[in-house]
Amino acid sequence: MADKPVAAGQSSRRGAGSPQNAASKPAEAEPAATATAAAPGTRRPGGRTARTRAAVRDAVLSGLADHGYPGLTVEYVADHSGVHKTTLYRRWGGLEGMVADALDMAGEDTWTPPDTGSLEGDLRELAREVVDSFSDEATAAAPTAFIAAAFQSERAAEALHAFYAERFSRCEAVVARAVERGEAAPDVDSAALVRAVSAPLFLRVFITREPIDTALADQSAAAAVAALRAGAFTRR
Amino acid sequence: MADKPVAAGQSSRRGAGSPQNAASKPAEAEPAATATAAAPGTRRPGGRTARTRAAVRDAVLSGLADHGYPGLTVEYVADHSGVHKTTLYRRWGGLEGMVADALDMAGEDTWTPPDTGSLEGDLRELAREVVDSFSDEATAAAPTAFIAAAFQSERAAEALHAFYAERFSRCEAVVARAVERGEAAPDVDSAALVRAVSAPLFLRVFITREPIDTALADQSAAAAVAALRAGAFTRR
C-alpha cells in the first residue's frame, strides 16, 4: 500500500477555515500568538520552552506531511526537532499529545476574516481563501494531515474540533458586521451560515474528492447569502 | 497512540450519500447489484466468485471498522474471509485493491432517493438519511473507514470519488423531478444543489467534529431550496 504523496512545504498563504496558518509559518507567528492568545488558566511558555515547542510542532507537521499519522514516530520527531525522546515523552506524553499541541499552536495565529464592506463580499473572500489554501499542495499539506490524523486519534479529533470551532467563531465576525449594517437580522444563526459557505468546498476536497475553484467558492457564498435573505438561517 | 474506537456492525439502515448501504448488508444486496449494475466493459463474476468477493469485502469492512486502514493487513482479511492469501494477492493485488473493490461493491446497491412529491421534502429526507446513518455507530463505521482510508491510499481515494460521484448522481433524480414539476428551472446546477444539502453535515462529522441532528438536516435542505429559488444554483 502506497502512501498518498503529499508535499511538505512552507507558505505564507493564509486560508480561512484551515489550520495551516500558524502551522505553516511557525517562526513568525509564534511571538504574536504568545502575546495575544493566552486564555485564563492557560500557561504560555516563553523563551527556550517556546522554541522547543515550535521545533516539535515543525517536526510533527513535516512528519505528518511526509508520512501521515500512521507513519509518524517519536523517533522521527526527535530526529527532526533535536529534542530528546525522553523529553518528548515527558512533556507531550506521546505522539497524540504532540499532534494535538501542534494543532493548538495552529490556532494561535492572528488571522482575522476579510472585511470588504458587504456580507457577500466577505463570505466570498472566506470561501476563496479555502479554495486557495487547498489548491496549493504546500498549504494543503498540514490541514490535510490534521484532518486525517483525527480519524486515528481521539486527541487529534478533539484538537481538530477545538481548532475549527475557534476558527469559525472568528469567521462569525463578518456576520456580526452584517447585522450592524442591517444586512442580517440579529437572530441570524451565524455559526451555521459561515459553516454553510465552507462546507461544499470541504465536502469536495475530503469526501467526494472532486476539484474546487473560485467559481464554486462564489456560488457557495451566493447560495448562503440567498438562503439567509430567505430566512433559512434564522436561529432555531 | 490509541486507535479511535469504531464499532463494527451490520445494519439495514439506508443512508444517502454514505457508502454503508450495500457495504453493511452484503448478502441481500449482492444479487440485485449483480443483476442491475453491470456497466459496459465490467465483468460481474457470479456464483462462487461472487461469494468470494463478498467474503473479502465483509472482511475488509470489519477490519477497517476494527483497526482502520493503517491497521488492516492481508493476514486479517485472509483469516476473516477464509480466502487464501495467495488468492487475495493474485486477484486483488493487495490491500488497496481489496479496499477499492469493497467500495465498488458498496456502490452496487439499488438505493434510490426519496420521492415525497416536493423538492424540499426530498432534500430534507436525503439530509435526514445522512444524519441517521452517521448518528448510528454501526452504519457510520464503514463509510467512516472508507473516508479515512482515502487519506492513506490513492486507490481508495479514487474509489471513494467514484462512489460519491455515482451516489450524488442518483440523488440528482430529485432535482430532475422538480424540474418536471416546474419547481426548478432546466438550467439548475443539480450536482451543486444536492452536494450543498449534504455538505454541512459531512463538514461537521469529519472536519469540525461537531454533532448533527434532524434540525440541522432540515435547515440545510431549506437553505438549499431558498438559494435555488434565488437563482444561486443556476448552471454556470
Side-chain angles (χ1 to χ4, degrees):
Chain A
M1 66 181 121
D3 276 5
K4 190 177 171 194
V6 187
Q10 306 288 323
S11 160
S12 61
R13 183 87 56 78
R14 312 186 318 166
S18 64
Q20 84 287 4
N21 294 350
S24 62
K25 30 185 289 189
E28 315 97 86
E30 190 58 10
T34 309
T36 61
T42 309
R43 194 172 55 85
R44 296 268 170 240
R48 197 174 61 178
T49 312
R51 281 195 301 277
T52 301
R53 193 176 169 225
V56 169
R57 183 266 320 274
D58 291 350
V60 166
L61 280 181
S62 94
L64 285 177
D66 287 347
H67 305 293
Y69 187 78
L72 189 65
T73 61
V74 175
E75 285 71 22
Y76 180 100
V77 177
D79 286 351
H80 287 74
S81 65
V83 178
H84 199 276
K85 274 176 67 175
T86 319
T87 309
L88 292 175
Y89 278 112
R90 191 180 64 240
R91 288 199 39 201
W92 283 271
L95 279 174
E96 284 203 304
M98 295 175 219
V99 171
D101 193 45
L103 248 169
D104 286 347
M105 292 180 85
E108 292 169 9
D109 67 348
T110 54
W111 180 86
T112 53
D115 187 2
T116 66
S118 81
L119 178 61
E120 182 159 355
D122 287 355
L123 295 177
R124 199 186 299 125
E125 283 308 308
L126 276 176
R128 287 179 177 198
E129 283 192 37
V130 175
V131 172
D132 285 348
S133 62
F134 286 118
S135 301
D136 178 334
E137 251 187 19
T139 50
T144 302
F146 283 131
I147 291 165
F151 284 90
Q152 267 101 37
S153 153
E154 198 58 64
R155 278 196 66 188
E158 286 160 13
L160 189 70
H161 167 74
F163 173 84
Y164 276 116
E166 197 275 332
R167 186 62 37 146
F168 276 116
S169 98
R170 288 194 216 182
C171 293
E172 289 180 46
V174 308
V175 189
R177 287 196 298 258
V179 171
E180 281 168 25
R181 284 189 303 257
E183 280 191 272
D187 62 350
V188 59
D189 185 349
S190 47
L193 179 63
V194 295
R195 281 161 179 75
V197 173
S198 294
L201 305 167
F202 279 92
L203 176 82
R204 284 170 175 82
V205 173
F206 295 111
I207 312 295
T208 65
R209 306 252 163 196
E210 295 166 316
I212 57 174
D213 59 19
T214 304
L216 182 65
D218 294 356
Q219 181 191 55
S220 190
V225 170
L228 169 76
R229 286 183 188 143
F233 287 114
T234 303
R235 208 159 32 222
R236 39 183 167 121
Chain B
M1 67 182 117
D3 274 6
K4 190 178 171 192
V6 187
Q10 305 289 324
S11 161
S12 61
R13 184 86 57 77
R14 312 184 320 165
S18 64
Q20 84 287 4
N21 294 350
S24 62
K25 31 186 289 190
E28 317 95 89
E30 189 60 9
T34 308
T36 60
T42 308
R43 194 173 54 87
R44 297 270 168 238
R48 196 175 61 177
T49 311
R51 282 195 300 275
T52 302
R53 194 177 168 222
V56 169
R57 183 266 320 274
D58 292 350
V60 165
L61 280 181
S62 93
L64 284 178
D66 287 346
H67 305 294
Y69 187 79
L72 188 67
T73 61
V74 176
E75 285 71 21
Y76 180 99
V77 177
D79 285 351
H80 287 74
S81 65
V83 178
H84 200 276
K85 276 176 65 174
T86 319
T87 308
L88 292 176
Y89 278 114
R90 191 180 64 240
R91 289 198 40 202
W92 282 272
L95 280 175
E96 285 204 304
M98 295 175 220
V99 171
D101 194 42
L103 248 169
D104 285 348
M105 291 180 87
E108 290 169 11
D109 67 350
T110 55
W111 180 87
T112 53
D115 187 2
T116 65
S118 81
L119 179 62
E120 183 159 354
D122 288 355
L123 295 178
R124 199 185 301 125
E125 283 308 308
L126 276 176
R128 287 178 177 198
E129 283 192 36
V130 175
V131 171
D132 286 347
S133 63
F134 286 118
S135 301
D136 179 334
E137 249 187 23
T139 51
T144 302
F146 282 132
I147 291 166
F151 284 91
Q152 267 102 38
S153 153
E154 195 60 62
R155 277 195 67 187
E158 285 160 14
L160 189 71
H161 167 76
F163 172 84
Y164 276 116
E166 197 275 333
R167 187 64 36 149
F168 276 116
S169 99
R170 288 193 216 182
C171 294
E172 290 179 46
V174 308
V175 188
R177 288 196 297 259
V179 171
E180 281 166 25
R181 286 190 300 259
E183 281 191 272
D187 61 351
V188 59
D189 184 349
S190 47
L193 179 63
V194 295
R195 282 162 178 76
V197 173
S198 293
L201 306 167
F202 279 92
L203 176 82
R204 284 170 176 81
V205 173
F206 294 111
I207 313 293
T208 64
R209 306 253 163 193
E210 294 166 315
I212 58 175
D213 59 21
T214 304
L216 182 65
D218 294 356
Q219 180 191 57
S220 191
V225 171
L228 169 76
R229 286 183 188 142
F233 287 113
T234 303
R235 207 155 38 221
R236 38 184 165 117

